Amino acid sequence: MTTLAITESLDLKEVFSKFPTGVAAISAMVQGVPKGLVASSFTVGVSMDPPLVSFSAQHTSTTWPVLRNAERIGVSILGSEQQQTCLRMASRRPDKFDDILYRVNDQGAIVVPGCSLWLECSVFAELPAGDHSVVLLKVESAQAYSDKSPIILHESLFKFLEAPQAV
């Protein structure tokens, strides 16, 4: 085991990659165009009353400033079979939604079928946090799919939860 002091030169991304996390597609229709980003900083259970979740957006993001004004934002916790969808949505390509199947609700929130969980949210608050902003989203509605396992990002690799074995 190696212990690094915070003053030493280290790759903080590599250190943070040791913590496994799910991958959330955060997206909405904005002026008739699908917009979205991928966040591995997504957190549930920030608050139960009101129901709040959070994610962090880089200050350099060109997508978040567009999404923040959407009436509703869809959060899709991507499923284990959606690695290509994740990579596509994480890209900076303007046509990233061209090959992605998605649904839009009446308020403009986009959800990605095949996910393990989707949430329809509204922006509750945005707080500065270093080179990111912490975004609090109020959950307006949700749907969970127990037959879908989420993608797990760990050590900068996609990993998967194993399905329980029948006894």
Side-chain angles (χ1 to χ4, degrees):
M1 176 176 84
T2 303
T3 302
L4 299 173
I6 198 69
T7 58
E8 292 183 36
S9 175
L10 65 117
D11 184 348
L12 204 50
K13 271 187 160 182
E14 183 179 336
V15 170
F16 287 169
S17 79
K18 301 299 183 190
F19 183 76
T21 182
V23 181
I26 298 168
S27 46
M29 289 298 273
V30 179
Q31 297 178 342
V33 178
K35 298 290 182 179
L37 57 85
V38 170
S40 61
S41 58
F42 183 76
T43 303
V44 298
V46 172
S47 170
M48 298 303 204
D49 186 18
L52 300 177
V53 296
S54 71
F55 76 97
S56 298
Q58 291 180 332
H59 289 177
T60 57
S61 171
T62 57
T63 305
W64 175 242
V66 174
L67 277 175
R68 92 166 35 101
N69 296 315
E71 181 181 350
R72 291 284 198 264
I73 295 173
V75 177
S76 302
I77 304 303
L78 297 177
S80 60
E81 297 174 358
Q82 295 179 304
Q83 302 95 308
Q84 291 307 313
T85 298
C86 179
L87 293 172
R88 180 79 179 213
M89 288 196 69
S91 76
R92 296 190 182 270
R93 297 173 57 156
D95 64 345
K96 68 173 88 179
F97 279 89
D98 284 0
D99 296 326
I100 295 174
L101 180 65
Y102 62 90
R103 290 191 329 255
V104 183
N105 73 8
D106 293 340
Q107 292 80 32
I110 292 177
V111 296
V112 181
C115 62
S116 62
L117 166 69
W118 65 256
L119 307 167
E120 177 192 339
C121 301
S122 58
V123 176
F124 184 80
E126 187 173 346
L127 310 160
D131 59 358
H132 282 64
S133 291
V134 174
V135 180
L136 297 173
L137 299 173
K138 182 179 178 192
V139 178
E140 305 291 348
S141 65
Q143 180 70 49
Y145 300 93
S146 58
D147 62 330
K148 302 288 184 188
S149 293
I151 292 175
I152 303 297
L153 188 61
H154 181 240
E155 297 180 326
S156 300
L157 299 170
F158 291 135
K159 298 184 180 179
F160 312 96
L161 299 175
E162 290 186 29
Q165 300 295 319
V167 200

